[in-house]
Amino acid sequence: MLIKMVIAGFGGQGVLSMGLNIAQAAMLEGKNVTYLPAYGAEVRGGTANCTVAISDDEIASPVASSPEFVIAMNQPSAVKFQHHIQSGGLFFLNSSLIEAEIVRGDIEIVRVPANKIADEMGGPRAANMVMLGAFTKKSGVVGLDNVLQALKYTLSSKKKLIDINEKALIRGYELD
Amino acid sequence: MDGNSAIAEAAIRAGLRCYFGYPITPQNELTEYMALHLGRRKGCTFLQAESEVAAINMVYGASLVGARAMTSSSSPGISLKQEGISYLAACELPAVIVNMQRGGPGLGSISAAQSDYFQATRGGGHGDYRTIVLGPCSVQELADMTMRAFDLADKYKIPVMILGDGVLGQMKEPVDFKREAPDVTPTREGALMGARGRASRVVKTFTSNPSELEEINWSLFRRYQLIKKNETTWDTFMTDDARLVVVTYGIAARIAKGAIKNLRAEGLKVGLYRPVTLWPFPDEPLRELSKNVKQFLVFEMNMGQMIEDVQLALAGQGEVSFYGRPGGVIPTPDEVGRVMSRLYYQKGLRS
Amino acid sequence: MKLIYSRPKSLKKAAFHYCPGCGHSVAHRVVCEVIDEMELQDKTIGIPPPGCSVFAYNYFDVDMAESAHGRGAAVATGIKRACPQIIVFTYQGDGDLAGIGTAETIHAANRGENITTIFINNAVYGMTGGQMAPTTLCGMKTTTTPYGRDHVIEGYPLRMSEMLAPLDGVAYIERVAISSPAGIRRMKKAVAKAFQTQIDNRGFSMVEILSPCPTNWKMTPAQSWKWVGEEMTQVFPLGVYKDVMEPKHAD
Ligand SMILES: Cc1ncc(C[n+]2csc(CCOP(=O)(O)OP(=O)(O)O)c2C)c(N)n1
Ligand code: SF4
C-alpha cells in the first residue's frame, strides 16, 4: 500500500507542520515515510506545500504527481491542486478561506471551516490542527493516538502550545 | 530528518572539525545545521565564506594541518570549487565535498537533477585526476556515506564527493546514525604542524621538471588503481532472472526500483543495477551481468552521461537504451515503468 | 647592502632563482631573520603564491604549502581556524593579492583572521612576463599596456593598504619600500610587528612591500631601487596605516 498526499496553503498557516505530524505519526505506526517540502523559488510569494508519502514498502519517489489526498488551506492551493488529485481521491478544503468552485465530479470533497472553528476556540493559529483532526478521521491514514503522540514531538520546543493544538486536533476529529 | 541535515549530523559524528560553506539552494539546510551545531563544538569551526572559491580553499588549508574538513554546495557553486578540488587532489589532501545537484546548465533551476555526473566522475577541474564519487539514494545512505566519505578520504588522501540532488537534500526520512561524535576531533598523521622536532616540509605540485610531475601523476594513478580494487561498490535488485536490467543511480534508482516492483507484479522480468560508487564505476560486475542479460536501459535525470560508462563497461556486450529527463524534471515511477515495459515488448523479451 | 652578513637559520642553503636586484630576495631574507629572532621556525606555516615567488618553499626552512592563485588568505584562514596555535603567513604578489585574490584578501581582513600577509607590490605580473597589475602606475608601460596604463581604459592603481586599513578586523598595516638600507630596516621592524600582532591574537596584519622588478621594468637593479623610492612612493605613500596597539599612530 502506497499513499501520497499534498498539503498546501499560505506560508504561516502551518501546512508544513501538518505534513510533519502526519509523517511522524505514520513512522510511529512502523510505516516507511518520506516528507518533501516545496522549496526555494516555488515558495516565494507566500505559498507553501509539502508532500507526504506513506507505505508498507520502500518508497520509490517522494514526489506525488497524482496524490490520493490533498488538503488545501487557501484559495490558490485549491485552484492549483484540484487537478492533480487522483480520481476517487479525497479533497479537504478549508471552507473558511476558500470559495472556489470545484469542477471535478470524480473526487470526494470534505469542507472544514477550520479558521472559523479555531477562532471560536480562541486559538486562531490552530486552524491547521482542526483540519488535521478532520483529515485524520476522514482519511484513516493514521490513528488519532499517534497523531497526538507526534504532536508532542513536533512541538517539543514549544511546549506551551501543545494544549491548544491538542484541543483543536480533537475538535477537528469530532466534526462530522 | 531532512537529507541535508543528515549529512551535516553524520559529518559531525565522523569527527568533522571545519566546515566552510556558501549559501545556495537546495543545500542551505546543511550549511545552517553546521552553523547551529558545529560552530559551538570545542575546537571546531563553522564559517560562511565569501564565495565557493574561498570555501574550498579554506578546506584545503584545514586539510593541510590534518583536520577533517568539508564543504557543500549545489551545481553552480561546485563549478567554482573545481580549482580547489584540483589542488586538493594534486597535493593528496583528504576532503569531503557535497554536491546536491540542481538543474543546469547556467543558473538552471533549483529542482533536483543529475547533470553533474561527468563533472564529478572525471575529476571536474584541470589536470589528470579523479575524486571518489558516492551516489546515495536515501537519507539513511546520505548519513552512512558521509561517514564512509571521511574514512575513504583519509585512507587514500583524496577528495571524496557525495553526489546527491535537490530532492534527497530536502526530503525527510527516518535516519539512524551509526556513530557518536568524538570528544576530540581527529588529526591526520603527517600533516603540516610547524617543523617542531623534524625537518620542514613542503606541500606543493608546481615544478619546472615535467618528469617530476609525471611521477606525481603516476603515483596518483597507482593509488586510483588500488581504490578501484578495494572500494568499488554497487547494488542489485532482482537481477537473477532479469531479461531487462535498468542501470541507474541516486534518486533515479529509487524511482526505477518502484517501477520494477510494479512490473514484476505483472510478470515482467526486470531488474536493477545501481552503481553506489560512481567513481570508481563498478564495471566488472556489470560485465558479469551481461553474460545473462542482453538488454540494458540506462535511466538518468540528464541527457545521458553515465550511459558512457555503461557502454564502456559492457564493451559491446548487450544492447543499451537510454531514458532521461534533464533540467530538474523528476520522472514518476509510472513513467519509467512505461518506458521499461515498452522496451520489454519491443525487444521481444516477453516470450 | 650591508645587511647581508649571515644566512638566517630559517633560510635554506639554496641559491635564489630571482633576478639580480629583485625585491623578493630581500623580502625573503628579512622575513627569515624575523622568524629566527622571534623563534617561530618550528611553529610557522608559510603560503607562497603562484608568481615569481612560487618557489619560496625552496628557500624558507619552515613548513610551506602552495596555494592556488589569489587564494592565500582563504588557505591561511583554513589553517588558522583548524589549528590556532600555528603562526601562518601568506606571501603574495600584487596580481595575486590585489587582482585575482581581492575578494579572499578583503574578507579575511574584514573577519579579522589572525594571520599575517607579506604583500609584494612590484606593479607588474612578474612571473608571466610583465603584464599590467592592478597596482601598475598610470602611464607605466607593461606588455599589456604597451602605450602606458591609461586610467580611462584600465582604471587607476589599486591602493590595498589604504583600502584594507579602515576595516574593523584589521589590526596592523604598514607600507614599506625596498629602496634603501633604511627602508629595509623599516621593513624588518614592520614584519616583526605584524608577526607580533598575530602572536597577540589581535587580528589581520599586513606589510605591503614596494619591491623592485628590474627585469620587467627594463631597468638596472640600481635604477629600479631608485624608481621604487622616487616614483612608486608618490602613488603608494609609505607609513603605518593601522596599528591597533598604538591608536595614535593610526592614519
Ligand atoms: C588561475 C590562474 N590564472 C593565472 C595564472 C598564471 N599566473 C601565475 S603567476 C601570475 C601573476 C603573478 O603576478 P604577481 O602576483 O604580481 O606576482 P609576481 O610574479 O610579480 O611576484 C599569473 C597570472 C595562474 N597560476 N592561475
Ligand atoms: S621578474 Fe621581477 S619579480 Fe620576478 S624574479 Fe625577476 S625581478 Fe623579481
Side-chain angles (χ1 to χ4, degrees), chain B residues 148-282:
Chain B
R148 182 172 174 217
F150 280 100
D151 296 342
L152 287 174
D154 276 355
K155 181 168 173 197
Y156 296 102
K157 301 207 179 84
I158 187 174
V160 179
M161 180 173 282
I162 296 170
L163 196 62
D165 65 76
V167 165
L168 277 177
Q170 295 294 322
M171 70 190 273
K172 292 194 181 187
E173 278 188 306
V175 53
D176 172 25
F177 295 101
K178 307 206 166 78
R179 294 184 205 171
E180 291 297 332
D183 293 333
V184 181
T185 60
T187 298
R188 195 178 69 256
E189 270 182 39
L192 293 192
M193 272 294 150
R196 172 151 303 165
R198 62 159 167 82
S200 63
R201 257 186 217 142
V202 175
V203 176
K204 59 113 191 178
T205 56
F206 189 71
T207 163
S208 39
N209 177 0
S211 55
E212 190 184 324
L213 187 57
E214 185 180 37
E215 184 40 48
I216 292 179
N217 274 283
W218 273 109
S219 103
L220 286 179
F221 272 75
R222 279 191 293 272
R223 179 124 23 101
Y224 297 162
Q225 288 308 326
L226 199 65
I227 295 171
K228 268 189 193 173
K229 191 164 137 265
N230 295 343
E231 309 297 347
T232 306
T233 18
W234 67 96
D235 188 20
T236 58
F237 176 67
M238 305 204 104
T239 49
D240 284 352
D241 62 342
R243 295 175 180 173
L244 171 67
V245 165
V246 186
V247 187
T248 171
Y249 79 96
I251 190 79
R254 195 173 163 137
I255 295 168
K257 193 170 177 183
I260 287 168
K261 283 184 190 160
N262 296 340
L263 294 184
R264 279 275 170 181
E266 295 170 21
L268 272 63
K269 293 184 172 157
V270 285
L272 176 82
Y273 182 83
R274 175 170 79 99
V276 172
T277 50
L278 303 176
W279 195 92
F281 185 82

